[in-house]
Amino acid sequence: MGMQAALLHMVYPPQCVACDAMVASDFGLCGACWRETPFVTGLVCDQCGTPLPGQDPGHAVHCDDCLAIARPWSRGRSAMLYRDKARSLVLQLKHADRQDLARPAGGWLMRAAQPILRPGMLIAPVPLHWLRLLRRRYNQSALLSAQVARLSGLDHCPDLLQRQRNTQTQEGRSRDGRFANLADSIRVHPRRSARVEGRHVLLIDDVMTSGATLAASAEACLAMGAAEISVLVLCRVAKEC
Ligand SMILES: [Zn+2]
Ligand SMILES: [Zn+2]
């Protein structure tokens, strides 16, 4: 720690990113918040990161959803489950202007991503429609992808993908409805098509529910010649088990 940072810490001791408890280092959770945050550990679905029961069998395993739905990507991981403290952190990142949360989230994403990171990957966020971008002023997924790019040293293209039309909200739709609502709604930015050709793209989003948005993003990259797609999300909405 530099002298300036040390002095700053004497005046402003680091606080937990989820409450105001004091913590040992910047950008961390206190013990109590850590215990309330459902980080994904153990055996997971190799395509979406959902936790699965049992021990690691030494080969890739998949959850029921990924067996039932054709996923246009090869591998995927999730840092947390979308409930309790993780849910409130994501909602604050999205709606409460807590852009500072992207930094600790980047560390959590990196840890979850270790098994699927490959040299030469191109990192890109799932896009927000420009109307929503105007309202919210930032794309939370792009904040996350920037952190993962910074920590991994991989190439980052924050505007690789764009929304074609303002899709209706996904909330309240059935799974089939969600996929239909998003088909062809995302495309590779016309000026970025050269960047995607032949690349293994790592798509980053804040929350994966049905996987429809990630699927539309992956299809758009593949249509422009991407070699392979992997996905990484901060939170996976998992069925209660
Ligand atoms: Zn706390
Ligand atoms: Zn899965």
Side-chain angles (χ1 to χ4, degrees):
M1 193 187 296
M3 177 68 93
Q4 225 171 2
L7 277 171
L8 209 63
H9 276 170
M10 287 169 67
V11 186
Y12 303 105
Q15 287 184 323
C16 169
V17 297
C19 72
D20 53 9
M22 284 191 222
V23 289
S25 62
D26 284 318
F27 316 115
L29 288 168
C30 71
C33 290
W34 182 271
R35 283 188 295 276
E36 287 171 33
T37 306
F39 288 101
V40 171
T41 54
L43 182 63
V44 299
C45 169
D46 197 50
Q47 241 174 345
C48 75
T50 290
L52 294 172
Q55 296 293 310
D56 186 352
H59 57 81
V61 285
H62 298 98
C63 72
D64 291 347
D65 275 3
C66 290
L67 289 171
I69 308 164
R71 305 283 198 202
W73 66 81
S74 46
R75 308 183 77 193
R77 286 294 184 277
S78 173
M80 312 187 288
L81 293 178
Y82 191 62
R83 56 175 159 81
D84 307 325
K85 193 69 82 183
R87 184 169 175 275
S88 71
L89 287 171
V90 168
L91 290 175
Q92 287 181 59
L93 172 69
K94 252 169 135 147
H95 302 296
D97 212 17
R98 287 287 312 273
Q99 299 181 45
D100 62 297
L101 289 172
R103 191 167 171 136
W108 305 331
L109 282 164
M110 276 300 287
R111 206 175 43 180
Q114 286 311 313
I116 65 165
L117 286 182
R118 293 290 175 270
M121 272 180 159
L122 174 67
I123 296 179
V126 162
L128 204 64
H129 190 270
W130 66 271
L131 277 175
R132 264 186 226 173
L133 196 59
L134 275 184
R135 259 203 309 273
R136 206 177 282 166
R137 291 182 298 110
Y138 59 92
N139 175 0
Q140 71 281 357
S141 300
L143 298 180
L144 297 175
S145 64
Q147 291 295 326
V148 174
R150 182 179 66 83
L151 293 166
S152 64
L154 293 166
D155 286 353
H156 185 218
C157 189
D159 61 351
L160 183 70
L161 295 164
Q162 56 181 205
R163 299 265 179 179
Q164 303 248 55
R165 54 188 162 83
N166 195 10
T167 32
Q168 304 290 313
T169 175
Q170 290 287 76
E171 275 148 43
R173 282 171 194 269
S174 68
R175 193 176 80 195
D176 288 349
R178 283 172 176 239
F179 278 86
N181 186 37
L182 281 167
D184 302 323
S185 65
I186 292 170
R187 67 170 181 176
V188 170
H189 191 297
R191 286 200 298 276
R192 299 285 176 265
S193 53
R195 292 201 66 178
V196 78
E197 213 180 309
R199 301 294 292 273
H200 185 167
V201 180
L202 179 64
L203 293 172
I204 299 198
D205 207 356
D206 55 347
V207 180
M208 173 176 172
T209 307
S210 64
T213 318
L214 285 163
S217 301
E219 299 280 12
C221 292
L222 292 170
M224 293 308 288
E228 189 176 355
I229 313 293
S230 291
V231 304
L232 176 63
V233 297
L234 188 57
C235 287
R236 174 78 167 106
V237 179
K239 287 182 218 140
E240 295 303 320
C241 48

